[in-house]
Amino acid sequence: MVHIIHRVGIKAAVQEVYQALATTKGISNWWTKDTSGASEIGKTVVTRFHTLEGNEVGSMQFEIQGLEPDKKVHWKFLEGPQEWMGTEVIFELHQEEDYTIVLFRHINWAEEVEFKAHCSMKWAIFLLSLKQLVETGAGKPSPNDIKIDNWN
Amino acid sequence: MVHIIHRVGIKAAVQEVYQALATTKGISNWWTKDTSGASEIGKTVVTRFHTLEGNEVGSMQFEIQGLEPDKKVHWKFLEGPQEWMGTEVIFELHQEEDYTIVLFRHINWAEEVEFKAHCSMKWAIFLLSLKQLVETGAGKPSPNDIKIDNWN
């Protein structure tokens, strides 16, 4: 199994970062505007991605496996791209100086495929969006996310 | 051994992307302004990083292990952060539609340490800088790179 790991530091209180990760409203402000479902352990959240013209280009569904206030958010993917089946995303938070550090892990990919390389770049873009959201009040969720290649 | 892999697509001819990766002048326009050395197989290149005020905050040295025009650039790190010793960076290029696709790999990290997560985000930032450089003529090399956390 192989993993994507990223680290960002956000100049804000850990509570604010946690809210952006642990609620559907929060997620809709940095990952994709079309986020729905219930942010509770055992419940599922659906994220849909559209072009700027409104055409759906993909969707994912994950189960919330863990919510530890101000510390950790844990998702398991149930639907979406084939390579994502069974993968998990874990956000761990801690404070250092003026920053809330987010240690992001998207674990349990089967192999180092080119699509993983694409997703690694896109997660970096969305973590920047998360940082902007919490620091400035405005993120860049899909469909207004920065495009990085011909796969979006 | 664990790896960082990223994928970006650049709307430009493969020759232009290759020049930005295979020459010290090219590298100085997207990674760090203070890049010196000879861009030839077997020779070494030194990259130094500074604060905006001009204080050096780190440096690296790598040997050019491979240069395949318009296809591949291969570096091996000889000096720099301890975790980078013996790691290698490989850029592979190919054309898809209007894009030159860059498959980036920083391979042979010993383990999934937090510093690797930081470097994964920073490589994503510098690959965006590479994309901007080739598409618009202006990248964001250090010290004007986007800062992502308390480690820079």
Side-chain angles (χ1 to χ4, degrees):
Chain A
M1 292 289 181
V2 292
H3 319 300
I4 294 167
I5 64 170
H6 290 317
R7 181 189 197 268
V8 286
I10 300 176
K11 281 200 175 177
V14 67
Q15 292 83 358
E16 292 178 63
V17 179
Y18 181 77
Q19 285 303 311
L21 297 170
T23 66
T24 51
K25 182 168 185 300
I27 297 166
S28 74
N29 286 326
W30 63 268
W31 193 19
T32 179
K33 285 185 181 177
D34 191 348
T35 299
S36 58
S39 308
E40 294 167 37
I41 291 174
K43 298 291 175 74
T44 56
V45 173
V46 178
T47 51
R48 295 182 189 282
F49 299 82
H50 305 269
T51 63
L52 282 168
E53 296 76 29
N55 301 315
E56 187 173 316
V57 289
S59 69
M60 292 160 194
Q61 190 170 318
F62 57 87
E63 181 182 305
I64 310 241
Q65 296 230 314
L67 287 174
E68 297 177 33
D70 307 337
K71 283 192 184 160
K72 190 171 174 179
V73 172
H74 186 166
W75 303 340
K76 181 166 188 170
F77 284 89
L78 307 175
E79 289 186 26
Q82 194 197 328
E83 296 89 339
W84 283 44
M85 291 303 89
T87 65
E88 299 176 31
V89 160
I90 300 160
F91 301 88
E92 285 180 296
L93 311 180
H94 72 273
Q95 196 95 26
E96 281 185 28
E97 302 147 22
D98 297 341
Y99 292 86
T100 294
I101 303 298
V102 180
L103 186 61
F104 166 90
R105 289 182 291 152
H106 185 179
I107 64 172
N108 296 342
W109 287 71
E111 50 186 335
E112 297 281 9
V113 290
E114 198 165 335
F115 183 56
K116 175 174 178 278
H118 166 83
C119 293
S120 182
M121 269 303 291
K122 285 303 289 195
W123 276 126
I125 295 295
F126 287 119
L127 289 169
L128 270 186
S129 169
L130 169 69
K131 179 174 163 70
Q132 288 180 325
L133 168 67
V134 179
E135 290 182 351
T136 72
K140 284 185 182 168
S142 171
N144 301 114
D145 53 318
I146 295 171
K147 310 305 186 212
I148 51 123
D149 63 21
N150 57 332
W151 294 345
N152 190 12
Chain B
M1 291 291 180
V2 293
H3 318 301
I4 295 167
I5 65 170
H6 290 317
R7 181 187 197 269
V8 287
I10 300 176
K11 280 200 174 176
V14 69
Q15 293 82 357
E16 292 178 64
V17 180
Y18 181 76
Q19 285 303 311
L21 296 170
T23 65
T24 50
K25 184 169 184 300
I27 296 166
S28 74
N29 287 325
W30 64 268
W31 194 19
T32 178
K33 285 186 181 176
D34 191 348
T35 299
S36 58
S39 308
E40 295 167 34
I41 291 174
K43 297 291 174 76
T44 56
V45 172
V46 178
T47 51
R48 296 182 189 280
F49 299 81
H50 304 268
T51 63
L52 283 168
E53 296 76 29
N55 300 315
E56 187 172 317
V57 288
S59 69
M60 290 160 194
Q61 190 170 319
F62 57 86
E63 180 182 306
I64 311 239
Q65 298 229 313
L67 288 175
E68 296 177 33
D70 307 338
K71 282 192 184 158
K72 190 171 175 179
V73 172
H74 186 166
W75 303 339
K76 180 164 189 173
F77 284 89
L78 307 176
E79 290 187 24
Q82 193 197 330
E83 296 89 340
W84 284 44
M85 289 305 88
T87 64
E88 299 176 31
V89 160
I90 300 160
F91 301 88
E92 285 179 295
L93 310 181
H94 72 273
Q95 196 95 26
E96 282 185 30
E97 302 146 23
D98 297 341
Y99 291 87
T100 294
I101 304 298
V102 180
L103 186 61
F104 166 90
R105 290 183 289 150
H106 185 178
I107 65 171
N108 297 343
W109 288 71
E111 50 186 334
E112 298 281 11
V113 289
E114 198 165 334
F115 183 58
K116 174 174 178 279
H118 165 83
C119 293
S120 182
M121 270 302 292
K122 285 303 290 195
W123 276 126
I125 294 294
F126 286 118
L127 289 168
L128 270 185
S129 169
L130 169 70
K131 179 174 164 71
Q132 288 181 325
L133 168 68
V134 179
E135 290 182 350
T136 73
K140 284 186 182 165
S142 172
N144 302 116
D145 53 318
I146 295 172
K147 310 306 186 213
I148 52 125
D149 63 20
N150 57 333
W151 294 346
N152 190 9

